Amino acid sequence: EVVMTQSPATLSVSPGERATLSCRASQSVGSNLVWYQQKPGQAPRLLIYGASTRATDIPARFSGSGSGTEFTLTINSLQSEDFAVYYCQQYDYWPTFGGGTKVEIK
Amino acid sequence: QVQLVESGGGVVQPGRSLRLSCAASGFTFSSYTMYWVRQAPGKGLEWVAVIRHDGNNQQYADSVKGRFTISRDNSKGTMYLQMDSLRAEDTARYYCARPRDNSLGTKYFDPWGQGTLVTVSS
């Protein structure tokens, strides 16, 4: 099983600032990496697939990068609606998810 | 629009069974592999089971193998998860999830249903 590790567990950011979230895979997954956003009481929402391609209707302030074992989700100019938990997931093998990063208001 | 609606969750005693359903609409259900993904309260996400578009191949996470059975009825646009020998650690919200497209390699999900909560407790 590919183990996905996200850091930090919690990120405190002020509105308008940039957030940088990290995700590491225990073995190479190529570019087979997605990011989801989850708000309380809601299902996850796909943000990024193929490590760097934004899903439909996802604002340009969300960007993904990386390949192999190291990946980053960057959220520029954080808006109030962006405060949520973010999960990475690899799909090179059977899907496995990271433990999540909670982005909270500083 | 594409919609997935889960049902069948509830409170069940350890060792008992429960069957979840996922009703799909707004897309050609029979063309898509479908997944169950769960999330324990306050925890992360875990893939549980997958069934190929024609129902002829199923795979399971090690944590549920031999206890859970995934199936589908393409004529009804519905997927099922039969959960037997339930344990406390199976307590979670169970989501039905469709891959973003119906390519074989697309093992990521968009959309998800709203989930149905299963609580295993005596």
Side-chain angles (χ1 to χ4, degrees):
Chain A
E1 175 181 302
V2 180
V3 178
M4 306 301 292
T5 302
Q6 290 186 243
S7 61
T10 303
L11 189 60
S12 298
V13 185
S14 298
E17 292 188 340
R18 174 185 297 171
T20 303
L21 289 66
S22 295
C23 175
R24 174 175 293 178
S26 61
Q27 62 193 80
S28 177
V29 296
S31 294
N32 297 318
L33 188 286
V34 300
W35 292 92
Y36 300 98
Q37 176 193 69
Q38 188 178 35
K39 297 180 180 179
Q42 296 185 16
R45 173 195 182 197
L46 180 67
L47 297 177
I48 301 285
Y49 61 94
S52 61
T53 302
R54 280 190 303 276
T56 305
D57 295 331
I58 300 304
R61 64 180 181 272
F62 291 91
S63 63
S65 64
S67 66
T69 62
E70 300 284 344
F71 300 89
T72 300
L73 175 69
T74 302
I75 313 170
N76 287 307
S77 189
L78 268 159
Q79 307 295 301
S80 58
E81 62 265 30
D82 300 336
F83 293 96
V85 179
Y86 293 83
Y87 293 97
C88 62
Q89 177 224 316
Q90 65 78 22
Y91 56 97
D92 198 47
Y93 308 92
W94 291 116
T96 51
F97 298 83
T101 292
K102 181 179 181 181
V103 178
E104 64 175 24
I105 300 175
K106 186 175 182 180
Chain B
Q1 77 279 21
V2 176
Q3 193 170 15
L4 301 169
V5 179
E6 302 92 336
S7 60
V11 180
V12 61
Q13 293 179 328
R16 303 298 291 266
S17 299
L18 206 59
R19 188 176 88 151
L20 307 183
S21 299
C22 168
S25 59
F27 66 101
T28 305
F29 180 72
S30 60
S31 294
Y32 283 81
T33 294
M34 293 292 295
Y35 289 75
W36 287 100
V37 178
R38 69 183 180 183
Q39 185 172 35
K43 301 297 184 182
L45 298 156
E46 178 188 21
W47 161 71
V48 173
V50 57
I51 186 166
R52 210 173 68 174
H53 66 96
D54 57 6
N56 284 339
N57 188 277
Q58 307 87 29
Q59 299 290 334
Y60 301 91
D62 287 344
S63 57
V64 306
K65 199 172 293 182
R67 300 187 299 120
F68 289 12
T69 303
I70 188 173
S71 62
R72 64 191 295 162
D73 185 337
N74 284 344
S75 68
K76 295 182 178 179
T78 302
M79 178 176 67
Y80 306 97
L81 187 67
Q82 176 68 39
M83 303 186 296
D84 298 324
S85 303
L86 281 161
R87 305 168 180 169
E89 54 264 36
D90 296 319
T91 294
R93 179 166 291 274
Y94 286 74
Y95 293 99
C96 164
R98 193 204 76 175
R100 183 178 176 275
D101 60 60
N102 59 4
S103 301
L104 277 177
T106 304
K107 300 190 288 289
Y108 56 90
F109 313 116
D110 182 26
W112 300 57
Q114 86 288 349
T116 187
L117 183 61
V118 173
T119 302
V120 184
S121 174
S122 54

